[in-house]
């Protein structure tokens, strides 16, 4: 489990094909690796991956074909958000995050809320239609590993458009500040919302 509070931004440096899978080498940036062990989980752009080898500056992960097919951002060298797995003694600064991507969204709009260079930015994302039941006003959403709050939702024929405000700290400490309209992002809905929806579904049968 994770919290969606990014601990460092790193970079995918190399991608080595392994059959239909791939092995990634990731430069850790400022991520503290002193307490990491082989087999530990690290979320990379919101995707829970298992450390297979590591040094103080890099770690390697094996990514399956299934993961590559249902996520974005793991198939080419790029900056990525990093978070080590939650410990039971840690503060839950964001919300409970599994690191299992529910769908891929598309950035619909990304611009400053006003002309103040130090103000917040408006991020609007087209989420897959099947995620709409789990997206709500003031609910939680994970975008490329970052725990965020949904400000508005708008259902359309083929999508659910969500609006999010990003504060300067988030823009500076994650990769979200580099997003552009048309970019695809990994989305994970709130875990509790998914369980509530399942309970309601079961009661209706």
């Amino acid at each position: 489990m994770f919290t969606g509070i990014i601990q460092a931004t790193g970079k995918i440096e190399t991608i080595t094909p392994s059959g239909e899978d791939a092995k990634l080498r990731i430069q850790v940036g400022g991520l503290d690796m002193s307490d990491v062990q082989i087999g530990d989980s690290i979320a990379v752009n919101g995707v829970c991956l298992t450390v297979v080898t590591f040094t103080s500056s890099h770690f390697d992960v094996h990514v399956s074909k299934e993961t590559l097919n249902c996520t974005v951002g793991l198939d080419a060298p790029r900056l990525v958000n990093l978070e080590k797995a939650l410990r039971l003694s840690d503060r839950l600064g964001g919300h409970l995050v599994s690191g299992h991507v529910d769908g891929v969204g598309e950035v619909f709009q990304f611009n400053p809320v006003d002309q103040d260079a130090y103000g917040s930015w408006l991020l609007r994302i087209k989420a897959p239609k099947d995620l709409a039941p789990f997206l709500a006003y003031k609910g939680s959403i994970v975008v490329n590993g970052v725990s965020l709050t949904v400000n508005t939702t708008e259902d359309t024929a083929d999508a659910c458009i969500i609006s999010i405000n990003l504060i300067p700290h988030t823009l500076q400490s994650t990769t979200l500040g580099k997003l552009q309209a048309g970019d695809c992002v990994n989305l994970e809905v709130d875990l509790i919302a998914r369980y509530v929806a399942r309970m309601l579904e079961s009661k209706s049968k």
Side-chain angles (χ1 to χ4, degrees):
M1 299 295 290
F2 306 89
T3 70
I5 303 299
I6 301 306
Q7 297 169 334
T9 56
K11 183 178 182 181
I12 298 175
E13 290 197 332
T14 62
I15 303 169
T16 305
S18 178
E20 295 184 325
D21 301 343
K23 184 177 181 181
L24 309 185
R25 171 154 291 184
I26 299 170
Q27 193 272 334
V28 303
L31 190 69
D32 179 14
M33 299 293 286
S34 63
D35 59 350
V36 172
Q37 300 181 22
I38 292 175
D40 281 358
S41 296
I42 296 179
V44 179
N45 264 12
V47 184
C48 178
L49 299 174
T50 301
V51 175
V52 294
T53 60
F54 71 94
T55 67
S56 61
S57 61
H58 296 79
F59 67 94
D60 295 342
V61 294
H62 187 99
V63 185
S64 69
K65 175 186 177 183
E66 171 65 18
T67 298
L68 291 170
N69 286 343
C70 66
T71 65
V72 293
L74 301 179
D75 58 349
R78 58 170 46 87
L79 294 175
V80 287
N81 296 314
L82 301 175
E83 181 190 356
K84 293 185 288 187
L86 174 70
R87 296 173 295 192
L88 292 180
S89 60
D90 288 341
R91 289 191 176 113
L92 187 59
H95 70 283
L96 287 175
V97 174
S98 69
H100 301 153
V101 173
D102 293 305
V104 173
E106 180 184 345
V107 175
F108 179 71
Q109 179 184 353
F110 189 49
N111 56 258
V113 172
D114 52 42
Q115 297 305 311
D116 182 357
Y118 299 99
S120 62
W121 281 53
L122 172 66
L123 174 63
R124 301 182 72 202
I125 297 172
K126 288 183 179 178
K129 186 70 173 179
D130 60 351
L131 297 188
F134 313 109
L135 301 172
Y137 170 68
K138 297 304 180 185
S140 296
I141 183 74
V142 180
V143 179
N144 280 355
V146 184
S147 173
L148 299 167
T149 300
V150 176
N151 286 344
T152 65
T153 62
E154 177 188 349
D155 292 318
T156 67
D158 60 351
C160 178
I161 299 176
I162 57 174
S163 296
I164 301 164
N165 270 55
L166 299 184
I167 63 173
H169 174 78
T170 302
L171 295 170
Q172 295 163 9
S173 60
T174 74
T175 64
L176 298 187
K178 296 178 173 57
L179 290 176
Q180 298 180 7
D183 286 348
C184 290
V185 291
N186 294 317
L187 301 176
E188 180 185 336
V189 301
D190 182 56
L191 187 64
I192 296 174
R194 182 169 289 285
Y195 278 112
V196 170
R198 178 58 177 161
M199 291 170 63
L200 294 174
E201 179 186 348
S202 298
K203 286 184 177 181
S204 66
K205 292 182 179 179

